[in-house]
Structure formats: structure tokens, C-alpha cells
């Protein structure tokens, strides 16, 4: 039922991509995303595709799941294509009702859908090979310079970690509550829209009460272990940048350089 | 007539995904009407999955499930089952949501479409059955203590006046006194009404105190089944799957190990004492 939603699924493994520091992975994703958006034209798409393929080779087969994850997105991708194809004026190829489908429109549409696809694949490569905790810690490290301006970086990262940690728990709890209330005869499919909204109350109130209870318990548990925020906190697992990180970062920067020069050269 | 007839039931969680997990494998069970049955097994043995088939929450994937003679493979039968089969979930206090205890207990009878008068009758009867005081009715269920909340939640299912009452680990986390009280409540219920009670538990002690029939599940399979006494005869099997047996049974087993021929299928301390005294007398007589 609710349990099958792949929410930023992480697949554990030991590939080079898994071993990269989360910090460098986040940077690589940002740099590569900019690169993909900058690369112009059909050849640009080819280069970006080749670059992505190269990245996937280092994920030890995990990349297969990135393609599986595309399935629910096909509506969005199709919509992007159609919208772009219809919206761009130019030399008409054929007519679709009141709209002209133009050559320029098709080109643009192909380019945009290709980029969109690549960006989604890129982002899922990150979540597939990085544990949620690694992600938030990486983000925390990247944003830590902002502490100087009073941004509570550690606290934000902690909130994100906790939120991610509790998604499966809350899904489980919701499932149990749905079953329990159905056993008492509550039915969401009966009556007019107002009745149906009212029928949600037996589910929402216990779920909310449960989350508040959990939040309180968690706060007590954290205080009992003397948690007091980010100052002077050390980590059990140090995130160190290794040779592999520098190699990967160099590759990403090279890709960005190519796309900038391609854009400047006006392909 | 049978209250529950299950034949070769299989159930797999998250079927068709990489997270597939078999919860039930070829389980067959029959529970007669008016009986009190206990389903016991360690954590993850499939107890909860099995009982969720009894009131139509889960549809049988393979095998047949018949409740009160009707086949639960039929969706129309399944969606109506909550009227006859009351299912109390684990930690039922989490399902409370109304503003007052009265409204929460009245939730299920209201969904049955009963008259106001009948709803009121049922609420008071459920209150009585669970031993709750009447002055609790106007309070908010969320403000009650854990033990009271649990009783209110159970009253909310009893108000359905089901023919079959299924309780999933109803005594989990209860202190010994409330546990004893609660088991006595169930005992009274079982005597007064013509109701079939099915209790899921991992405590053999609870089963011994209440059930006349026991099914032992382990790893999704039925490993033992029979009257409580028959099952206790095979206490070693129960111990081998990681469950605890009552202290009197343990004592008898220890005595047997030392060569004293006492029966091990005793239900309750009184029986154990009688058996030990009897065997002692026997050993004394012929020159022993």
C-alpha cells in the first residue's frame, strides 16, 4: 500500500561512487547540473549523455535503479516535450488542431526533455549511492561557512536527518491506524465530499498525536544523552577527502569547462 | 459450526518488490464457535498477519479463509466483516481520536448505523465490560493514562458487539495487576456471551490462563496446534522456538529431568501442586 513509495531510495554498496565523500558528491552534482544546462545543441546532449554514462560506470550497477526510478516521471517528461514543441514559433512541420508544430519547437523540445532526463538521472545517482545521513552531513559541511552569518547549519541538518529518519516510521504508523479505523467501520468512500473530508479526522488526529508523542520522546532521549547542538561537536565517522574525491571533482570541473567553452563558442 | 476456517493460507508482504517477505506459509487453522483460542509465536512469526485476514483487512493471496462460513476471497464479504469480527490492534490506544471517551466508544456503533438509544446502550455495556467508571465518558481520551486509554480503545471495539473478538497482544506493556484484571475481564466476557475470542500473544502464561485451544506459529508456519493441555505436553518444542513457558511447567520439566515422573501439561499453579503431591505419595508407597 503506502510502503512501496521509493522516497530517495538508497542502495548500499561499495562502488567508487559509494566511497566518494558526500561533500564532493554534492558538489559534483551541482557542477554537473550547471554543465548539462549550459551545453547547447544536439552535440551538447551527446556529450552530457556520455559524461553521465561514464559516471554510471562507477556506481557498480546501482545506476540501473536510476532508470527504474524514471517510470513515474514519464508524464512530466511527455508534458515537457509536448509543451515545448507547441510553444515555440517557427517553420511549421505539421499542424495539430489549432497549433503548429515547428521544426524549432521539436528541436527545443528534444533538448529540454533530454536535459530534464539527464538532471533527474544525475540527482538519482546521488541519492542512490549516498545514505540520507551522509547526504545531510555533507550538506552540513558544505553550508558550514554560513554559520558566520548566524545560520543554524547544524540544527537544520539535524532536522533534515530526523525528518528523513521518521518517514518510514510514520508510514508504518499511518498503515496501522488506517487498518484500526477500518476495523471500526470508518469508510472514506462514502457520502458527499464534505462527509469524506470529515471521515479523514479519525486518521489524521491519531497520526498527529503520534508524531507529537514521538517528537517529545525523541527530545527527551536526545537530552538524556546530553545533546546540545552543533558547537564543538565531533563526528564518529570523519568525512575525509581522498584521492578518489579529487579525481572525481577534477572530472566534473573538466565537464563544466567544456560546456562553458561550448556555450561561449556558440555551437 | 466453525468461527474461523483457514486452509493452506500463504501471504507475502510487498509481493513483487525487492523487499518481498513471506509472512505465512501454508497455514491451516480451524477455530470453533464460542471457543477461546490463543495464537502464540515469537516476534515476526506471522501472528498479526494471520489475524488481519479474519476481519477482511488483508485478502488471502493463496489458500482459503472462511469466516462464520463465508468465503473471504469475495470482496463484498471482506468489506462487511468488521461488523462481525472485532479486531483490537496492538497498542490500540493509538487509534483514539474523538473529543470525549463517549464519542470514541460510540464511533464503531455509529458506523453500524444504529439508533441513538442503541448506541448509548452499547457504550454503557462496553464500559461495564471493561470495568471503566462512568465519569470517564465526558473526558478527552487523549488526557487519560496509558492503561485507561487501552481499556477505552478495547471498549470501542467491544461496542461493535462482535461475534468474534480478536485481540492482538492486548496485554503488551501492561503492569501485572492490570494484566490480571484484563484477563479476568476477558474471562467474564467469555462466560457471559456466546462470543469467540482469539488472542494473539507471545506469553504462554496468558494462553494457559484463558485459552482452551492453542495454535503455535513460528516463521510463518503452524508448528503446534491443539487443546492447551496437548500443546503444553510438548513444552520443549515451545521452548525451542524461543518462547517462554509458565513457571509451573518449567518446574515440572526440571523435575522430570531429575527422574521424577510428574506430568508437564499442568495448567496453573494449583494443578502443579496437586500433581507433585500425588507423585510424592506414589513414590513413598511401594517401599520407595
Amino acid at each position: 500500500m503506502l510502503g512501496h513509495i521509493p522516497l530517495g531510495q538508497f542502495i548500499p554498496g561499495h562502488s567508487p561512487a559509494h566511497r566518494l565523500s558526500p561533500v564532493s558528491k554534492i558538489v559534483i552534482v551541482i557542477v554537473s547540473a550547471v554543465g548539462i544546462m549550459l551545453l547547447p545543441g544536439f552535440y551538447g546532449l551527446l556529450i552530457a549523455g556520455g559524461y553521465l554514462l561514464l559516471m554510471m560506470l562507477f556506481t557498480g550497477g546501482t545506476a540501473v535503479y536510476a532508470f527504474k526510478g524514471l517510470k513515474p516521471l514519464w508524464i512530466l517528461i511527455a508534458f515537457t516535450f509536448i509543451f515545448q514543441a507547441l510553444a515555440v514559433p517557427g517553420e511549421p512541420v505539421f499542424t495539430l488542431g489549432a497549433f503548429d508544430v515547428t521544426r524549432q519547437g521539436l528541436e527545443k523540445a528534444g533538448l529540454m526533455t533530454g536535459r530534464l532526463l539527464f538532471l533527474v538521472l544525475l540527482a538519482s545517482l546521488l541519492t542512490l549511492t549516498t545514505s540520507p545521513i551522509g547526504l545531510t552531513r555533507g550538506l552540513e559541511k558544505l553550508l558550514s561557512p554560513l554559520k558566520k552569518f548566524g545560520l543554524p547549519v547544524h540544527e537544520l541538518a539535524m532536522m533534515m536527518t530526523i525528518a528523513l529518519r521518521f518517514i518510514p516510521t510514520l508510514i508504518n504508523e499511518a498503515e496501522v491506524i488506517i487498518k484500526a479505523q477500518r476495523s471500526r467501520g470508518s469508510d472514506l468512500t462514502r457520502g458527499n465530499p464534505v462527509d469524506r473530508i470529515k471521515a479523514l479526522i479519525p486518521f489524521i488526529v491519531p497520526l498527529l498525536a503520534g508524531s507529537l508523542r514521538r517528537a517529545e520522546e525523541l527530545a527527551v532521549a536526545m537530552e538524556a544523552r546530553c545533546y546540545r547542538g552543533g558547537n564543538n561537536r565531533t563526528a564518529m565517522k570523519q568525512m575525509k577527502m581522498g584521492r578518489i574525491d579529487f579525481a572525481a571533482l577534477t572530472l566534473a570541473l573538466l565537464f563544466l569547462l567544456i560546456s562553458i567553452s561550448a556555450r561561449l563558442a556558440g555551437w | 459450526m466453525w468461527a474461523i476456517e483457514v486452509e493452506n493460507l500463504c501471504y507475502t508482504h510487498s509481493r513483487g518488490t525487492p523487499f518481498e517477505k513471506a509472512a505465512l506459509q501454508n497455514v491451516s487453522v480451524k477455530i470453533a464457535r464460542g471457543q477461546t483460542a490463543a495464537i502464540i509465536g515469537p516476534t515476526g512469526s506471522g501472528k498479526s498477519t494471520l489475524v488481519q485476514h479474519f476481519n477482511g483487512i488483508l485478502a488471502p493471496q493463496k489458500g482459503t479463509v472462511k469466516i462464520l462460513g463465508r468465503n473471504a476471497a469475495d470482496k463484498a464479504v471482506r468489506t462487511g466483516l468488521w461488523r462481525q469480527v472485532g479486531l483490537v490492534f496492538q497498542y490500540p490506544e493509538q487509534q483514539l481520536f474523538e473529543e470525549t471517551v463517549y464519542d470514541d466508544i460510540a464511533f464503531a456503533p455509529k458506523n453500524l448505523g444504529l439508533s441513538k438509544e442503541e448506541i448509548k446502550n452499547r457504550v454503557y455495556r462496553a464500559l461495564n465490560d471493561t470495568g471503566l467508571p462512568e465519569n470517564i465518558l465526558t473526558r478527552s481520551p487523549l488526557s487519560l493514562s496509558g492503561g485507561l486509554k487501552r481499556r477505552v480503545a478495547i471498549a470501542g471495539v467491544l461496542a461493535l458487539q462482535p461475534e468474534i473478538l480478536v485481540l492482538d497482544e492486548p496485554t503488551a506493556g501492561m503492569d501485572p495487576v492490570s494484566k490480571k484484571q484484563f484477563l479476568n475481564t476477558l474471562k467474564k466476557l467469555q462466560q457471559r456471551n456466546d462470543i469467540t475470542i482469539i488472542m494473539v500473544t507471545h506469553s504462554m502464561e496468558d494462553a494457559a490462563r484463558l485459552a482452551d485451544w492453542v495454535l503455535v506459529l513460528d516463521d510463518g508456519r503452524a508448528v503446534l496446534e491443539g487443546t492447551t493441555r496437548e500443546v503444553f505436553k510438548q513444552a520443549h518444542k515451545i521452548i525451542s522456538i524461543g518462547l517462554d513457558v509458565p513457571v509451573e511447567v518449567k518446574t515440572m520439566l526440571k523435575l522430570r529431568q531429575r527422574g521424577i515422573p510428574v506430568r508437564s501439561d499442568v495448567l496453573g499453579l494449583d494443578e502443579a501442586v496437586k500433581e507433585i503431591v500425588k507423585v510424592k505419595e506414589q513414590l513413598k508407597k511401594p517401599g520407595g
Side-chain angles (χ1 to χ4, degrees):
Chain A
M1 227 179 351
L2 290 162
H4 312 312
I5 308 164
L7 273 162
Q9 194 98 45
F10 163 58
I11 314 268
H14 299 283
S15 71
H18 282 89
R19 277 183 281 132
L20 278 178
S21 152
V23 177
S24 38
K25 266 191 274 192
I26 295 171
V27 172
I28 289 168
V29 165
I30 294 169
V31 167
S32 311
V34 173
I36 289 172
M37 290 311 285
L38 283 180
L39 269 175
F42 176 70
Y43 291 109
L45 269 188
L46 269 187
I47 294 175
Y51 172 68
L52 262 181
L53 217 61
L54 184 69
M55 278 179 144
M56 287 179 179
L57 289 180
F58 289 108
T59 61
T62 313
V64 180
Y65 292 95
F67 289 104
K68 281 185 184 166
L70 284 179
K71 251 188 224 160
L73 288 175
W74 71 268
I75 294 182
L76 179 73
I77 291 164
F79 185 77
T80 312
F81 186 89
I82 294 167
F83 186 77
Q84 288 285 344
L86 295 181
V88 180
E91 172 190 328
V93 183
F94 58 91
T95 328
L96 207 75
F99 295 98
D100 282 336
V101 178
T102 60
R103 197 176 59 83
Q104 285 89 342
L106 283 178
E107 270 173 18
K108 189 101 195 252
L111 198 63
M112 284 310 287
T113 17
R115 280 178 183 168
L116 187 69
L117 261 174
F118 287 164
L119 287 181
V120 173
L121 283 175
L122 182 73
S124 52
L125 283 187
L126 175 67
T127 52
L128 278 169
T129 59
T130 320
S131 71
I133 293 188
L135 262 183
T136 46
R137 288 207 40 222
L139 220 56
E140 181 183 351
K141 201 147 193 188
L142 268 176
L143 294 178
S144 60
L146 294 177
K147 266 188 215 158
K148 278 183 204 142
F149 305 105
L151 194 75
V153 172
H154 169 80
E155 281 72 14
L156 287 175
M158 180 55 93
M159 275 162 60
M160 217 169 117
T161 313
I162 292 172
L164 286 172
R165 158 68 186 77
F166 276 98
I167 287 172
T169 314
L170 287 179
I171 287 176
N172 270 340
E173 212 164 282
E175 265 181 358
V176 171
I177 289 168
I178 288 171
K179 284 177 180 174
Q181 306 299 34
R182 262 175 56 196
S183 300
R184 296 208 281 165
S186 74
D187 189 353
L188 291 173
T189 56
R190 241 185 345 213
N192 59 46
V194 179
D195 283 343
R196 287 188 198 196
I197 290 169
K198 271 191 195 158
L200 281 173
I201 293 173
F203 303 98
I204 290 167
V205 172
L207 201 59
L208 212 63
S211 324
L212 288 176
R213 181 173 44 81
R214 270 178 205 289
E216 218 172 295
E217 279 169 8
L218 185 70
V220 171
M222 284 166 83
E223 270 180 6
R225 291 176 213 181
C226 302
Y227 175 79
R228 47 183 192 85
N231 288 340
N232 304 324
R233 214 176 147 73
T234 53
M236 172 112 158
K237 260 192 184 164
Q238 292 289 336
M239 282 190 297
K240 277 197 194 126
M241 303 281 267
R243 223 179 293 166
I244 179 174
D245 290 283
F246 291 112
L249 281 168
T250 314
L251 190 69
L253 285 176
L254 203 68
F255 174 67
L256 184 64
L257 214 67
I258 291 174
S259 26
I260 291 174
S261 13
R263 163 73 33 139
L264 288 180
W267 273 7
Chain B
M1 189 186 161
W2 299 109
I4 309 271
E5 289 166 88
V6 174
E7 237 172 282
N8 298 322
L9 181 64
C10 299
Y11 191 86
T12 309
H13 287 298
S14 316
R15 199 160 55 159
T17 72
F19 307 104
E20 208 172 83
K21 193 178 160 278
L24 293 174
Q25 298 174 49
N26 271 319
V27 174
S28 299
V29 169
K30 275 182 178 170
I31 298 169
R33 263 188 141 161
Q35 235 177 4
T36 299
I39 298 175
I40 62 174
T43 315
S45 57
K47 300 172 299 218
S48 300
T49 310
L50 177 61
V51 296
Q52 283 175 24
H53 283 88
F54 295 170
N55 82 333
I57 292 275
L58 294 181
Q61 288 175 346
K62 236 175 101 187
T64 53
V65 175
K66 278 188 186 167
I67 312 294
L68 297 165
R70 283 175 305 163
N71 196 332
D74 182 354
K75 197 175 175 209
V77 169
R78 270 206 314 279
T79 49
L81 271 180
W82 63 274
R83 292 161 191 272
Q84 284 93 39
V85 187
L87 177 52
V88 179
F89 276 81
Q90 275 176 57
Y91 301 103
E93 55 272 26
Q94 289 175 9
Q95 76 194 26
L96 303 173
F97 70 97
E98 280 283 10
E99 280 168 49
T100 65
V101 169
Y102 181 93
D103 285 333
D104 211 292
I105 299 178
F107 180 63
K110 262 183 209 157
N111 286 330
L112 282 174
L114 299 169
S115 70
K116 271 216 166 98
E117 197 55 35
E118 176 63 16
I119 291 173
K120 199 176 162 191
N121 283 341
R122 287 190 172 207
V123 171
Y124 277 92
R125 192 163 153 194
L127 205 68
N128 203 12
D129 284 343
T130 42
L132 287 165
E134 278 185 24
N135 61 18
I136 209 175
L137 285 176
T138 52
R139 290 179 60 185
S140 157
L142 300 176
S143 73
L144 303 173
S145 73
L148 283 178
K149 269 189 197 168
R150 168 104 33 120
R151 265 147 77 186
V152 169
I154 292 172
V157 176
L158 277 179
L160 275 171
Q161 300 194 347
E163 288 174 58
I164 302 172
L165 177 65
V166 186
L167 303 119
D168 195 347
E169 308 242 10
T171 58
M174 273 191 188
D175 62 83
V177 176
S178 9
K179 192 167 160 177
K180 207 167 175 181
Q181 262 177 12
F182 176 70
L183 290 180
N184 283 336
T185 306
L186 279 187
K187 222 165 202 169
K188 259 190 244 155
L189 208 68
Q190 141 191 53
Q191 281 158 7
R192 217 189 38 211
N193 298 333
D194 185 26
I195 187 173
T196 311
I197 298 178
I198 299 167
M199 192 167 75
V200 173
T201 173
H202 52 236
S203 153
M204 281 303 289
E205 222 139 326
D206 291 0
R209 223 180 275 180
L210 212 67
D212 23 56
W213 192 91
V214 174
L215 167 75
V216 183
L217 284 182
D218 184 33
D219 206 14
R221 286 170 222 273
V223 285
L224 276 177
E225 164 181 16
T227 63
T228 314
R229 206 177 287 280
E230 278 165 14
V231 168
F232 271 25
K233 261 186 199 151
Q234 312 201 43
H236 58 278
K237 229 177 180 173
I238 297 167
I239 294 169
S240 75
I241 63 169
L243 290 172
D244 215 8
V245 295
V247 72
E248 57 269 20
V249 176
K250 250 190 251 173
T251 314
M252 298 312 240
L253 285 174
K254 282 253 166 73
L255 285 173
R256 281 180 73 94
Q257 265 175 19
R258 300 200 178 172
I260 301 165
V262 288
R263 289 190 295 123
S264 66
D265 56 333
V266 289
L267 303 176
L269 272 178
D270 293 348
E271 245 189 77
V273 172
K274 264 186 211 153
E275 172 71 11
I276 292 175
V277 171
K278 199 179 97 194
V279 171
K280 207 172 155 191
E281 294 295 316
Q282 279 171 0
L283 287 178
K284 267 185 193 168
K285 270 180 205 163

